[in-house]
Structure formats: structure tokens, C-alpha cells
Amino acid sequence: MQAVSPTATDVAFLARPGRPAVVARTLAELAGPTRGVVELPVRLMWNAERTFDLGDPDQLLWMYENVLRETTRAEDLRVLINGRTLRRVWRLLNLPRGVRLAWESRHRGLRAA
């Protein structure tokens, strides 16, 4: 899986200053878990508390927010985020403006989710 990267005609959306947001090409390729406990790698969550119970709605949102904001690798999206779940919780996620715009410009269906 490759991340969407800006071209000369695209706008680069930033996850934070100096770092482009990483967006999956399709939501269908996002095959992350939908239940159980997930431990994020340190590069995505620097806190010692990096374990998330996906059965807890608040923990699921917190994990998705961290992955979408912090990742620099498309592979993280594929293995940690589930496309159907992302669509379901999209409006509830607290994301930087650049991350939200990047995803919604690539996946227009998220705007209406």
C-alpha cells in the first residue's frame, strides 16, 4: 500500500508543521482489528500507556486519533485502522485540520459519514 503524496497540482495537507498527513488510497484496504486490545508502537504513541481496548468507544477514538495524526507510514494505516470502523466514527474523531482535510479530499464519502 502506498500513501497518497502531493503532486504539483495537489495540495499537501499537514498533520503538523513540516509533516504531510498520510492517507490510504482506499478505505477497503484498511484491515485493522475491530476488537481486542491493540498496543501502538512507540513511534505512534510516546506515552507508556500505549494499549487500547477497542471494545471501549473512548479508547478506540483515542487510538484512531493518534494513528491518523502521528503515522508517517501507510502500512500503519493498513494494520491498525479498519475502514468500516473509520467511516462509522469519523465525525467523532478529534483530528488536526490538515489530517481531516487530507482524508476527506481523498475519501469524499467521509464528509457525509
Side-chain angles (χ1 to χ4, degrees), residues 19-85:
R19 191 175 70 198
V22 179
V23 178
R25 291 200 180 276
T26 70
L27 295 180
E29 67 190 286
L30 301 177
T34 58
R35 60 181 165 213
V37 176
V38 175
E39 183 173 351
L40 294 182
V42 174
R43 65 186 153 69
L44 295 178
M45 183 77 171
W46 306 321
N47 190 329
E49 302 286 327
R50 298 187 322 270
T51 305
F52 299 87
D53 178 354
L54 300 182
D56 180 323
D58 291 333
Q59 287 188 32
L60 178 123
L61 293 175
W62 181 231
M63 186 193 95
Y64 272 44
E65 290 165 357
N66 278 281
V67 172
L68 294 171
R69 183 182 59 245
E70 299 298 331
T71 192
T72 59
R73 303 174 183 184
E75 182 65 12
D76 290 337
L77 299 173
R78 190 182 69 72
V79 300
L80 295 170
I81 302 294
N82 179 276
R84 294 178 105 173
T85 302

Side-chain angles (χ1 to χ4, degrees), residues 94-109:
N94 182 14
L95 297 169
R97 185 171 191 265
V99 172
R100 187 168 295 280
L101 290 172
W103 279 83
E104 288 180 353
S105 70
R106 177 68 184 180
H107 306 289
R108 300 202 186 273

